[in-house]
Amino acid sequence: MSNNKKLYIKTYGCQMNVYDSERMADVLSPLGYNLSESGEDADIVILNTCHIREKAAEKVYSELGRLKKLKNKRLEQGKSTIIGVAGCVAQAEGEEMLNRAPVVDLLVGPQAYHRLPNLINKIEAGQRGLLEVDFPAEDKFENIPAAESDRIIARGPTAFVTVQEGCDKFCTFCVVPYTRGSEFSRPVEKIIEETRRLCAAGVKEITLLGQNVNAYHGENSVGESWSLGRLLYALAEVPGLERLRYTTSHPLDMDDTLIAAHGDLPQLMPYLHLPIQSGSDRILKAMNRKHTTEIYYDVIERMRKVRPDIALSSDFIVGFPGESSEDFAATMQLVCDIDYAQAFSFKYSSRPGTPAADMDDQVAENVKSERLTELQALLRQQQQSFNKTCLGRKLPVLFTGQGRKLGQLIGRSPYLQPVHADAPQEFIGTIQDVEVIAVGVNSLSGQCEGDRTEIELASGGQVNQPFREGATAL
Ligand code: SAH
Ligand code: SF4
Ligand code: F3S
């Protein structure tokens, strides 16, 4: 078997898809497939798709149109190309996609990609139109070979580790419970083992992933159920691990241990992505979010008590069915009260099969657009002023790679801001003190201390500095 076949994976959607794409590459590597930067010369092209908002499926179909041309061109040169669709659109469309786009050789859902080698073998033996969208009983993570250390190093000093998948919350707007299935937590030991391996290969920062990562309740080797907080305390002990993050959290699952971990663990970065979606309790109820604004304010208050410098982030949906101008004003008020360091906001997008798609009072497109513009202007202003509070400060920056300009590196601050600084190549993969000398809305520029100072895990002692000007006292 040839060992230099090429695999190209195009990834859409959330970080779990990024993680899954890496695992797909790992699972196909023993078959002789190596990752390629482009689809042009690939023997396998996989689209790892996202179904969260409208037109997702349409985008995939138009991409498949392009791939059909590519496949035909390669065929003229006597080369075959396997086209696969993975991820949440594959799960949602299933058979229909195979009928509508015969160029697709295989469809594989997010819980079944460990079966890819089997599917590829079948295709190499002449079969076509294969479908794997069941939620299999076996654990996909158990059936994927661990990434080799050179592959880990090539991916850089930051890594994702999926610890929890699926969702049982059924917000009325969301497709995730249908595309990813019900909640599932990986066993404690498996996560610790994966983290150890990544850190032994040189990874410094681990982000734990889950659709509801803080609903984590994995078992340890003696059958005890661990919360995310407890898992974080254990992971902080892993040799070589310097930074921990987790995403995405649900406000209902922010328990005391998790909040305490933010005060206790210097490795746990002062950044929390905690989506609320709307500032109106009436809308939260219609969304079936199962939490009120009061619960959210309370979590934020407790979090700021243990980690006053925490950078907060959220997701917002504007124009959910029935959202009045008062409801939207409540969202704007909540944003003013919380004062975010960063946030994502979207127009409500009707998803077939979800309860909200059938609700009365769908909001007009132009109203959604106006509200989104207004909200984004406020969030942008908050992001800018958060960045300004960093001006002149010394932040520990984990350098992750080459910057755009010659001699420049890019890294990330504890608050997840991208930071550019002139620095020598060998600083990649290390944490350095950087003095912030300029700030933009989306990134910071800094000056390196110069010498390779030891890493200051106490995040530069920021814990006790109430540095956020104008932050609302909650
Ligand atoms: N599990 C996470 C979010 C998963 S989806 C949570 O509960 O917070 C990521 C984000 O996409 C959501 O937070 C929401 O803001 C947005 N989103 C999901 N469905 C959407 C829809 N139908 N229309 C618009 N935005 C949506
Ligand atoms: Fe979707 Fe809600 Fe589950 Fe988040 S909690 S994945 S928004 S259903
Ligand atoms: Fe998209 Fe699926 Fe993630 S729908 S956001 S890729 S879980």
Side-chain angles (χ1 to χ4, degrees), residues 165-183:
E165 273 217 50
C167 181
D168 293 339
K169 293 212 163 52
F170 291 91
C171 300
T172 52
F173 53 81
C174 184
V175 293
V176 170
Y178 312 98
T179 61
R180 291 265 167 176
S182 55
E183 236 176 49

Side-chain angles (χ1 to χ4, degrees), residues 164-459:
Q164 179 278 337
E165 273 217 50
C167 181
D168 293 339
K169 293 212 163 52
F170 291 91
C171 300
T172 52
F173 53 81
C174 184
V175 293
V176 170
Y178 312 98
T179 61
R180 291 265 167 176
S182 55
E183 236 176 49
F184 161 83
S185 297
R186 291 177 70 193
V188 169
E189 268 73 22
K190 297 289 170 192
I191 295 164
I192 296 181
E193 197 182 296
E194 186 168 335
T195 304
R196 277 184 186 281
R197 224 186 22 250
L198 289 166
C199 294
V203 168
K204 300 281 163 58
E205 178 177 303
I206 298 278
T207 303
L208 306 181
L209 297 181
Q211 264 91 14
N212 276 284
V213 71
N214 56 344
Y216 177 81
H217 57 278
E219 281 192 358
N220 71 357
S221 55
V222 294
E224 278 176 344
S225 176
W226 280 32
S227 66
L228 182 70
R230 194 161 172 200
L231 181 68
L232 287 168
Y233 278 94
L235 290 175
E237 306 278 309
V238 169
L241 185 141
E242 283 158 16
R243 291 181 162 192
L244 270 172
R245 303 179 185 276
Y246 61 91
T247 197
T248 295
S249 301
H250 192 283
L252 267 190
D253 298 312
M254 293 300 299
D255 66 16
D256 292 343
T257 317
L258 182 54
I259 294 178
H262 278 275
D264 292 341
L265 299 176
Q267 294 90 341
L268 190 54
M269 290 293 101
Y271 179 93
L272 176 67
H273 181 61
L274 193 64
I276 185 163
Q277 316 296 354
S278 166
S280 155
D281 284 316
R282 205 178 66 83
I283 295 295
L284 289 177
K285 195 151 192 278
M287 286 177 164
N288 191 33
R289 283 291 290 182
K290 303 186 178 78
H291 60 78
T292 55
T293 49
E294 195 185 336
I295 289 176
Y296 190 84
Y297 280 112
D298 178 60
V299 170
I300 302 295
E301 185 182 347
R302 287 192 291 143
M303 188 61 88
R304 281 189 168 146
K305 238 182 222 147
V306 298
R307 193 74 217 229
D309 69 329
I310 194 136
L312 295 168
S313 160
S314 179
D315 292 342
F316 295 93
I317 295 177
V318 298
F320 183 83
E323 186 188 71
S324 64
S325 48
E326 288 77 26
D327 294 318
F328 176 64
T331 299
M332 293 293 282
Q333 185 58 51
L334 179 129
V335 173
C336 289
D337 292 344
I338 302 287
D339 194 7
Y340 289 97
Q342 198 253 336
F344 302 92
S345 45
F346 314 99
K347 284 194 259 186
Y348 167 71
S349 168
S350 172
R351 312 306 292 123
T354 60
D358 299 324
M359 287 180 183
D360 298 333
D361 296 334
Q362 299 284 329
V363 174
E365 204 52 38
N366 64 327
V367 175
K368 286 187 202 170
S369 301
E370 278 165 24
R371 290 180 186 169
L372 188 67
T373 307
E374 199 179 324
L375 175 61
Q376 288 185 337
L378 176 60
L379 290 170
R380 204 179 144 83
Q381 192 189 316
Q382 292 191 345
Q383 186 169 337
Q384 172 103 42
S385 58
F386 176 76
N387 287 349
K388 275 190 187 151
T389 62
C390 298
L391 199 59
R393 290 180 61 202
K394 210 180 280 172
L395 297 178
V397 170
L398 170 59
F399 284 112
T400 50
Q402 216 64 254
R404 242 180 260 145
K405 292 189 204 133
L406 197 67
Q408 195 185 58
L409 298 185
I410 181 141
R412 52 172 70 153
S413 76
Y415 311 107
L416 211 56
Q417 298 141 304
V419 184
H420 304 269
D422 287 340
Q425 197 70 11
E426 63 265 25
F427 276 11
I428 296 177
T430 71
I431 298 174
Q432 303 290 333
D433 274 343
V434 172
E435 190 186 331
V436 179
I437 52 172
V439 304
V441 181
N442 298 313
S443 65
L444 313 178
S445 300
Q447 214 157 35
C448 261
E449 284 280 274
D451 55 351
R452 297 179 69 157
T453 38
E454 250 330 283
I455 305 131
E456 273 185 62
L457 275 179
S459 300

Side-chain angles (χ1 to χ4, degrees), residues 59-226:
K59 268 187 227 152
V60 175
Y61 283 113
S62 67
E63 184 69 32
L64 287 172
R66 277 194 288 277
L67 288 177
K68 190 175 169 186
K69 287 190 198 123
L70 183 83
K71 191 171 180 168
N72 289 338
K73 199 171 112 197
R74 276 175 52 91
L75 208 56
E76 283 164 19
Q77 300 161 1
K79 296 185 240 171
S80 62
T81 317
I82 299 173
I83 308 283
V85 179
C88 294
V89 176
Q91 188 67 41
E93 290 280 290
E95 192 95 49
E96 190 168 335
M97 183 165 268
L98 290 179
N99 295 334
R100 222 181 116 181
V103 67
V104 175
D105 298 305
L106 71 96
L107 272 186
V108 61
Q111 305 306 346
Y113 59 74
H114 56 291
R115 295 187 176 173
L116 268 173
N118 187 22
L119 294 170
I120 299 292
N121 284 333
K122 283 186 182 165
I123 288 174
E124 286 176 344
Q127 293 190 39
R128 288 290 174 271
L130 305 179
L131 183 68
E132 276 284 5
V133 290
D134 291 345
F135 293 121
E138 78 269 11
D139 176 358
K140 69 180 176 199
F141 298 103
E142 288 306 288
N143 289 278
I144 297 170
E148 300 125 24
S149 56
D150 53 349
R151 193 192 290 276
I152 296 171
I153 294 161
R155 285 174 186 158
T158 63
F160 293 132
V161 174
T162 294
V163 301
Q164 179 278 337
E165 273 217 50
C167 181
D168 293 339
K169 293 212 163 52
F170 291 91
C171 300
T172 52
F173 53 81
C174 184
V175 293
V176 170
Y178 312 98
T179 61
R180 291 265 167 176
S182 55
E183 236 176 49
F184 161 83
S185 297
R186 291 177 70 193
V188 169
E189 268 73 22
K190 297 289 170 192
I191 295 164
I192 296 181
E193 197 182 296
E194 186 168 335
T195 304
R196 277 184 186 281
R197 224 186 22 250
L198 289 166
C199 294
V203 168
K204 300 281 163 58
E205 178 177 303
I206 298 278
T207 303
L208 306 181
L209 297 181
Q211 264 91 14
N212 276 284
V213 71
N214 56 344
Y216 177 81
H217 57 278
E219 281 192 358
N220 71 357
S221 55
V222 294
E224 278 176 344
S225 176
W226 280 32

Side-chain angles (χ1 to χ4, degrees), residues 12-14 17 49-52 88 175-176 179-180 211:
Y12 304 81
C14 65
N17 265 12
T49 59
C50 171
H51 203 232
I52 203 84
C88 294
V175 293
V176 170
T179 61
R180 291 265 167 176
Q211 264 91 14

